[in-house]
Amino acid sequence: MKAVILSSFGSPDALEIREVPTPSPAAGEVLVQVKAAGICHHDILHRAGKLPGAKAGVVLGHETAGEVVAVGTGVITHRVGDPVVIYQRQFCGMCRNCLRGRQDMCRALGLPAVDTVGGYAEYVCVPAPMAIQVPRGLPWQAAALSCCPIGTSLRALRTLAGTNPGDTVLITGASGGLGIHQIQIVRALGARSIAVTSSPAKAEHLKSLGADEVIVSPDLKFSAQAWQLTNKQGVDVAIDNLGMTLPETLRAMAQGGSVVVLGNIDGKPVDVLPGLLIGRRIRVMGSGSATLEDIRHALSMLASGQIRPIISAELPFTEIRTAHAMLDDKSVEGRVVMQGWT
C-alpha cells in the first residue's frame, strides 16, 4: 500500500510517499481503508520536531475515517463495510481511566504517529474499540473531523465548561480549525459567542459561521473589548485555543467563570495573577482529546446538521506537501482534508 512517511523533521519536503506492506488485522483488530484524513496543527508540530515524544520514520495523521475491509478473530462489534472514524489515540480499556470512560487519559499505550501508525495511508489497522461507528450517509470528510477538532471542542465546551443556554463564550484563535467549529457548537448549545481573531480579513467569515460578536485584535489585547461587549460583566466561559493569550482571557472573565485551555501554540510560559483567580473565583482547566462518548455525540450533531465541517481544501494524498505548506502559511480558514491518491 501507499503511505506518507515523515522521513525526518523539517519542512513539508520531509513528507515522502512510499510503498509499505499492507497490515493484516490480528485478533481483536480491524483493517480500515482510509477514505479521508484531516490535517491538524498537531501534525505540523510533529513534522517540525516540536512535539514531545515525536519520532521520524512514522505515518502522521489522527483525523481518520474509512471503511472496515477486514476483521480479526474475536471481533463481534464490527463487520466488513462498516463506516468508522478512528479514535485519535490508543487506549488499553483496562486501566482506571479507561474504566471510568476517560480513554483520553490512558497512559498505557500511546498517540497515533508518536507511538503508533497514523492515517496518511491507504489502510490502517487498529484495535476494534478504536473504530467508532459512523452514521450511514455521513460524508467521510465530516466523519474524519468528528474526533478532532469537533469532539475535542464539544468536550471542552459542554463536558468541562458546562456551557448553558444564555451563557456568553469567548473563543480565542477563532479562525483556526478548533475555533470555527466551536462557534457552531456554542450556537447549538444556545449560548452567545464572542470570537477573537488577529486578522481583519477573517472577521466576516467568522460572522457567517454564526459568531454573535467578533473582536479583531492584531495585538491580541482583547479583554477591554470583551468587557464592553458584556456590559462590563465579563464572559461566563472562555476557550483559549492559543495558550499565550491566557492572561488576557482571564481578564475578560466574569465572576465564577470557567476557562478551558486547549492550545499551546508557542509553548512559552505565561504570567497568571493568583489574585485575579481568587477574586473572581475563576476556574481554569486544561483539556485535550475527546472521549469515545464525546465523539459519539459529535457524530450525532454532524448527522443532524447542528454542526457542519468547515473544510478549506480537499486534496489527494499525493499533494500532502502542498497541504502542509498551506497550514504553514496560515492560508486556510478551516481544515484541509486528504482523500484518495490521484
Side-chain angles (χ1 to χ4, degrees):
M1 71 172 188
K2 294 183 180 68
V4 178
I5 306 294
L6 177 64
S7 61
S8 60
F9 296 131
S11 72
D13 290 342
L15 299 168
E16 299 179 358
I17 296 175
R18 299 180 189 172
E19 286 287 341
V20 299
T22 302
S24 297
E29 294 183 338
V30 296
L31 179 66
V32 177
Q33 183 180 21
V34 176
K35 299 293 187 180
I39 300 178
C40 178
H41 191 69
H42 176 282
D43 301 345
I44 304 303
L45 292 174
H46 189 151
R47 190 206 73 221
K50 297 179 180 179
L51 195 68
K55 301 174 184 177
V58 298
V59 179
L60 300 182
H62 63 269
E63 299 180 356
T64 312
E67 182 179 319
V68 175
V69 293
V71 299
T73 58
V75 174
I76 60 174
T77 53
H78 296 73
R79 296 181 179 180
V80 171
D82 283 349
V84 297
V85 60
I86 296 174
Y87 189 62
Q88 63 199 80
R89 62 179 297 162
Q90 287 202 64
F91 58 92
C92 69
M94 297 178 289
C95 69
R96 176 173 177 264
N97 285 323
C98 285
L99 291 175
R100 63 191 179 113
R102 293 302 307 273
Q103 301 87 9
D104 62 309
M105 292 172 57
C106 178
R107 298 282 182 123
L109 297 173
L111 298 174
V114 175
D115 298 310
T116 62
V117 176
Y120 294 4
E122 288 189 278
Y123 298 91
V124 62
C125 204
V126 296
M130 285 182 64
I132 305 164
Q133 298 279 354
V134 169
R136 295 280 179 180
L138 188 68
W140 294 118
Q141 307 96 309
L145 303 188
S146 63
C147 290
C148 172
I150 297 171
T152 295
S153 296
L154 186 61
R155 174 165 191 80
L157 281 161
R158 189 192 59 180
T159 309
L160 290 182
T163 303
N164 290 308
D167 283 347
T168 298
V169 181
L170 180 80
I171 301 169
T172 70
S175 59
L178 289 169
I180 57 177
H181 293 99
Q182 289 161 3
I183 290 168
Q184 298 180 69
I185 294 171
V186 168
R187 173 156 290 194
L189 295 175
R192 171 195 181 208
S193 62
I194 299 177
V196 180
T197 179
S198 60
S199 172
K202 295 180 178 180
E204 284 305 314
H205 184 231
L206 296 177
K207 278 280 190 180
S208 72
L209 294 175
D212 295 285
E213 304 284 353
V214 177
I215 295 175
V216 178
S217 180
D219 62 357
L220 294 177
K221 300 296 183 183
F222 51 81
S223 61
Q225 288 174 269
W227 206 248
Q228 292 298 322
L229 289 171
T230 57
N231 295 318
K232 299 184 179 181
Q233 297 299 306
V235 300
D236 305 295
V237 173
I239 306 296
D240 199 306
N241 295 308
L242 301 178
M244 70 275 199
T245 50
L246 181 58
E248 196 71 10
T249 296
L250 291 173
R251 283 190 283 271
M253 299 306 299
Q255 293 278 345
S258 297
V259 179
V260 182
V261 182
L262 278 178
N264 186 24
I265 299 300
D266 62 10
K268 296 178 182 177
V270 296
D271 293 324
V272 174
L273 295 175
L276 182 60
L277 301 181
I278 296 166
R280 295 195 196 170
R281 313 298 197 268
I282 300 171
R283 213 167 39 127
V284 182
M285 298 161 281
S287 188
S289 56
T291 66
L292 293 177
E293 193 65 13
D294 294 321
I295 293 163
R296 293 189 184 100
H297 287 153
L299 287 165
S300 295
M301 295 179 79
L302 284 162
S304 66
Q306 291 177 284
I307 305 171
R308 64 182 179 91
I310 307 301
I311 298 171
S312 292
E314 298 176 26
L315 299 172
F317 282 100
T318 50
E319 297 294 326
I320 188 65
R321 292 179 177 177
T322 299
H324 269 242
M326 290 170 67
L327 270 78
D328 282 353
D329 295 339
K330 299 182 180 179
S331 59
V332 296
E333 293 182 355
R335 275 296 195 260
V336 176
V337 177
M338 313 305 295
Q339 291 186 291
W341 292 86
T342 57

